[in-house]
Amino acid sequence: MPKEEMRWNLDDVLPIKKFDLLYRETEEKLKEYEFFYANISPEMPEQGFKALIDFDEKMSEKLNRLMDMPLLMEAADQKSAEAKLLKSRAENLTIKRANIARKLGLWIQGKPVENIKTLDDRNAERLFNAVLDLRYVLRHARESAKYTLNEREERIATEKDVTGISVVLNLRELIETEFKYRFKPKGKKERIIDIEADVLKYAYSKNPAEREAASVALLSKFKENLDKFFMMYQAVVKDWHYSAEMRGFKSAIAIRNHANHVPDEAVEALLAVCRENRDVYQKYFRFKAKELGMKKLRRCDLYAPLNIAKREEIPYNKGVKIVLDTYDNFAKGFGEKARVIISRKHIDSHPRLNKRGGAFCSTVAPAIAPYVMLNYTNRFRDVSTLAHELGHGIHSLYANRHSISSHHANLPLSETASTLGEMIVFEKLLEMAKNDRERKAMLADKMADSYATIMRQAYFVEFEILAHNEIMKGITSEQLSDIYLSTLKEQFGDSVSLGPLYRYEWSRIPHIFETPFYCYAYNFGELLSLALFARYKKEGSSFVPRVEKVLAYGGSENPDKVLKEIGVDMSSRKFWQGSFEIVKEWQKRLEKF
Ligand SMILES: [Zn+2]
């Protein structure tokens, strides 16, 4: 065990020996829903409604404690039989509660519920005003209901999905897992590889022939099966389209935007600004070609490693100190809140056997300081991750006066503190770096990461918008691949040469099948935080209280409204352009070294 290692203490969630007691108490309390249901009506007094909602929120907290304690236990030790047992018990109770509370949800949405008079709009407003903190959440739930069908139709739709689109998606996975990839670097013997991940890792190889062989092995498999993937994608698109039409959405992407609490215009502005700024990554790719000693980068070289500098190690305690000092400098509240998480022992810091990989921040309830899991290995990247996850925790603590359902920020704002925090710590690390070679390596990594989260994702969505339109009109698989190729050409310009197989790449993007239009979620939060960071750099410390105000809202207000209060308009291109000014500056510095 590294001497700096910190393990979390889950007693603030629920001491393990109290699990049974809370379980029984919660199960008993579930019966009280019936008491409340007996008194529900649109004309009910505000006080009665408030009491009902308070009760429901308290039940959520109890269930979160029961559920999250074993989940966190399991993350720290994936082999823990005790965690698995407690988790499965908590799951049973969660399902039981969901079944009992479903009535309440439907009634709030204005849906017909047996033996209870339907809640009309006027009374809904009256009652929602009695629980101001949850008003936005309740209104959004009610608004979403406008897009749902009646109970019988919803049931038919769900059941048809089970034998329809779900089968298509399962088939896609099945076909893909059965692929055997023919990996043949130039001058070497062919090798058959069974697992996709084992092919993909060659995209990061130092050997250019291996990188090329990996892309050929992968994409030629999809080309061979193109007709199948095309048939499945057509089914996904049509299914999505019919559903959008039936539910009254004005476009295919609008379904996703509504679920994400984002106005259509904001997504349009975001995508347009991404398109306009594609040249910054083209410059990066030209720079990368030069670094690799190539005339022009091939598409398969995008993730080739740059051998610029050997990086200094940053031990955990030093990493924590850097982050805390930087946060103190940025805003008193940031430093204080990060310290709460650390001093309450809510961090699990180092990798070890059976511990889950990656990093996350988990909030159980507003009353409990968040928990952060890391797999810290002294790399410079680990300090960024520490800053990022602590940022999520800080956000959660800024918003802890809210109720459990209005506490967590919705998509457009959920990455605000984390990405912002990561950014200010990144600048600090740049400043601290020993020499320019180190700085160059850090910036090159940053550009590569930001390409993958920002531009690549934006163009997936661009492709989907075009594909959904054209498929509804009727096209062939080759025509669809032409459309994909056109988005690649636009994205890369002449900075990257595309092999003949890349036009088929669309067929291996799982998101466009499984969760259409989801990919902008990756860049929306990132770009929004970059834009706020740009404003911070321009306006200095006077901008900090505005950021804190946004964070304190949690998920209790419409994100668009929250941002407008601090003078930010998500639908304005000028705002999004701010994000790219930061990226452009990175690239400029990179070229100067
Ligand atoms: Zn995050």
Side-chain angles (χ1 to χ4, degrees):
M1 174 163 156
K3 68 174 189 300
E4 307 185 297
E5 178 174 353
M6 185 183 277
R7 295 205 186 180
W8 59 32
N9 177 346
L10 298 178
D11 282 358
D12 284 346
V13 183
L14 178 63
I16 199 161
K17 56 179 189 295
K18 292 203 174 146
F19 183 91
D20 280 325
L21 184 69
L22 183 64
Y23 187 98
R24 282 198 304 274
E25 189 192 306
T26 309
E27 194 173 31
E28 191 58 33
K29 274 256 175 215
L30 284 178
K31 292 178 188 151
E32 288 181 28
Y33 274 103
E34 286 309 325
F35 163 79
F36 281 108
Y37 286 162
N39 297 299
I40 282 188
S41 80
E43 294 80 21
M44 74 193 290
E46 285 98 350
Q47 278 317 314
F49 182 71
K50 190 174 180 314
L52 165 61
I53 296 296
D54 286 347
F55 167 75
D56 190 51
E57 290 286 294
K58 286 214 180 78
M59 292 305 286
S60 294
E61 180 174 333
K62 287 182 202 299
L63 279 154
N64 280 6
R65 285 180 191 267
L66 286 166
M67 195 67 220
D68 289 357
M69 193 269 282
L71 277 179
L72 292 169
M73 236 173 111
E74 196 184 27
D77 176 9
Q78 295 191 290
K79 290 248 166 87
S80 164
E82 191 175 23
K84 286 184 202 317
L85 176 68
L86 296 179
K87 189 177 86 176
S88 106
R89 289 181 61 199
E91 273 166 0
N92 292 341
L93 200 59
T94 306
I95 291 170
K96 197 167 166 190
R97 189 273 191 122
N99 286 333
I100 298 175
R102 183 166 301 120
K103 245 189 204 177
L104 175 61
L106 290 171
W107 184 72
I108 283 172
Q109 289 192 318
K111 299 263 164 190
V113 176
E114 217 182 319
N115 300 328
I116 305 177
K117 203 171 144 195
T118 304
L119 180 61
D120 57 281
D121 284 344
R122 202 178 51 82
N123 275 309
E125 266 309 288
R126 178 180 65 85
L127 294 174
F128 294 175
N129 277 324
V131 277
L132 276 184
D133 189 51
L134 285 166
R135 190 173 64 181
Y136 172 69
V137 174
L138 295 169
R139 278 181 181 166
H140 191 262
R142 208 171 155 83
E143 207 185 300
S144 307
K146 292 194 180 123
Y147 299 114
T148 57
L149 312 169
N150 70 41
E151 206 188 327
R152 200 179 134 75
E153 289 163 346
E154 283 292 350
R155 212 181 112 189
I156 296 171
T158 311
E159 285 175 5
K160 287 284 171 200
D161 277 352
V162 174
T163 54
I165 203 69
S166 303
V167 180
V168 171
L169 295 176
N170 286 340
L171 265 177
R172 193 193 72 85
E173 265 181 55
L174 194 66
I175 294 170
E176 207 184 320
T177 29
E178 283 180 354
F179 281 173
K180 304 240 180 289
Y181 303 96
R182 292 188 302 272
F183 180 69
K184 194 192 169 311
K186 220 179 206 158
K188 292 259 176 69
K189 245 179 69 190
E190 184 181 279
R191 197 149 63 79
I192 302 294
I193 301 179
D194 296 338
I195 301 167
E196 194 188 34
D198 288 340
V199 184
L200 279 173
K201 69 175 186 224
Y202 288 105
Y204 302 89
S205 165
K206 278 188 178 157
N207 180 343
E210 286 185 347
R211 297 197 294 267
E212 186 180 13
S215 81
V216 171
L218 212 62
L219 291 168
S220 53
K221 219 60 221 177
F222 284 86
K223 185 190 172 191
E224 279 167 32
N225 291 276
L226 195 69
D227 289 342
K228 294 180 199 136
F229 286 100
F230 179 63
M231 188 186 277
M232 293 186 284
Y233 189 55
Q234 260 186 318
V236 166
V237 168
K238 288 184 180 175
D239 181 68
W240 189 265
H241 175 86
Y242 297 142
S243 174
E245 214 171 52
M246 213 154 41
R247 292 168 192 280
F249 284 98
K250 61 176 194 279
S251 69
I253 196 172
I255 301 185
R256 182 68 61 203
N257 298 346
H258 177 76
N260 286 341
H261 303 249
V262 175
D264 294 345
E265 300 73 33
V267 177
E268 279 161 28
L270 166 90
L271 293 175
V273 174
C274 283
R275 262 196 318 268
E276 283 162 18
N277 287 279
R278 58 190 187 271
D279 63 312
V280 66
Y281 294 106
Q282 296 175 3
K283 280 187 187 142
Y284 172 70
F285 296 134
R286 287 191 198 100
F287 156 87
K288 185 156 187 170
K290 233 173 25 203
E291 289 293 320
L292 290 170
M294 304 173 85
K295 247 175 123 178
K296 194 175 191 174
L297 207 65
R298 302 165 304 170
R299 169 61 186 78
C300 59
D301 301 319
L302 241 52
Y303 304 110
L306 287 182
N307 227 341
I308 299 178
K310 203 174 132 36
R311 232 65 76 65
E312 190 77 15
E313 294 223 326
I314 305 176
Y316 179 68
N317 286 341
K318 191 175 170 199
V320 169
K321 187 168 177 338
I322 293 171
V323 173
L324 289 178
D325 287 349
T326 314
Y327 280 175
D328 283 337
N329 262 326
F330 175 70
K332 210 171 129 240
F334 265 59
E336 279 171 7
K337 288 172 171 60
R339 281 189 182 80
V340 169
I341 297 168
I342 295 168
S343 65
R344 293 210 63 86
K345 291 200 168 42
H346 283 201
I347 293 197
D348 196 305
S349 59
H350 284 72
R352 62 177 175 270
L353 190 68
N354 296 332
K355 182 176 157 178
R356 209 178 105 174
F360 66 79
C361 173
S362 163
T363 292
V364 180
I368 306 168
Y371 281 81
V372 167
M373 198 195 86
L374 306 166
N375 276 285
Y376 197 91
T377 54
N378 300 349
R379 295 170 315 163
F380 136 84
R381 231 181 214 156
D382 296 322
V383 184
S384 287
T385 307
L386 170 68
H388 185 100
E389 300 307 337
L390 277 178
H392 278 301
I394 291 165
H395 194 164
S396 175
L397 286 169
Y398 267 108
N400 68 3
R401 68 185 170 86
H402 295 293
S403 193
I404 215 162
S405 307
S406 57
H407 174 224
H408 187 74
N410 296 306
L411 170 79
L413 297 175
S414 59
E415 294 295 331
T416 312
S418 56
T419 309
L420 205 62
E422 202 184 319
M423 234 33 88
I424 48 179
V425 169
F426 176 71
E427 297 243 315
K428 180 78 198 166
L429 288 168
L430 264 188
E431 199 183 287
M432 289 172 61
K434 276 226 175 80
N435 51 45
D436 276 352
R437 282 180 70 78
E438 247 184 46
R439 281 185 198 103
K440 186 174 174 183
M442 286 162 79
L443 278 166
D445 282 351
K446 196 82 190 157
M447 281 304 291
D449 287 352
S450 93
Y451 163 73
T453 40
I454 295 174
M455 201 54 74
R456 182 164 159 82
Q457 308 299 329
Y459 272 93
F460 284 160
V461 180
E462 292 282 357
F463 166 71
E464 284 183 281
I465 294 171
L466 296 168
H468 277 247
N469 273 332
E470 295 306 314
I471 284 176
M472 290 318 294
K473 289 185 208 155
I475 50 169
T476 66
S477 61
E478 284 299 330
Q479 283 168 330
L480 185 66
S481 304
D482 281 340
I483 293 177
Y484 187 73
L485 184 64
S486 72
T487 65
L488 287 179
K489 280 189 172 155
E490 186 180 304
Q491 175 178 181
F492 293 118
D494 64 358
S495 67
V496 171
S497 66
L498 302 161
L501 288 169
Y502 274 96
R503 54 190 275 111
Y504 305 114
E505 192 194 19
W506 62 266
S507 59
R508 59 167 304 263
I509 309 165
H511 287 103
I512 70 168
F513 289 86
E514 282 158 19
T515 44
F517 303 107
Y518 182 79
C519 288
Y520 77 74
Y522 294 113
N523 61 13
F524 202 105
E526 176 95 6
L527 284 167
L528 191 128
S529 308
L530 275 178
L532 294 179
F533 181 62
R535 275 196 60 182
Y536 164 65
K537 286 188 79 167
K538 210 190 244 163
E539 293 170 32
S541 54
S542 67
F543 188 61
V544 174
R546 296 180 177 213
V547 172
E548 292 178 299
K549 192 173 173 196
V550 168
L551 300 179
Y553 268 113
S556 67
E557 249 310 344
N558 184 342
D560 198 27
K561 196 180 148 206
V562 169
L563 287 169
K564 280 195 174 123
E565 273 182 25
I566 65 157
V568 165
D569 179 4
M570 276 200 275
S571 302
S572 133
R573 294 191 183 194
K574 203 174 140 227
F575 167 69
W576 293 108
Q577 187 57 39
S579 332
F580 282 101
E581 296 310 323
I582 301 278
V583 181
K584 280 183 180 166
E585 211 181 293
W586 289 337
Q587 183 55 29
K588 235 189 244 156
R589 284 184 75 177
L590 198 49
E591 281 168 24
K592 271 197 203 135
F593 288 124

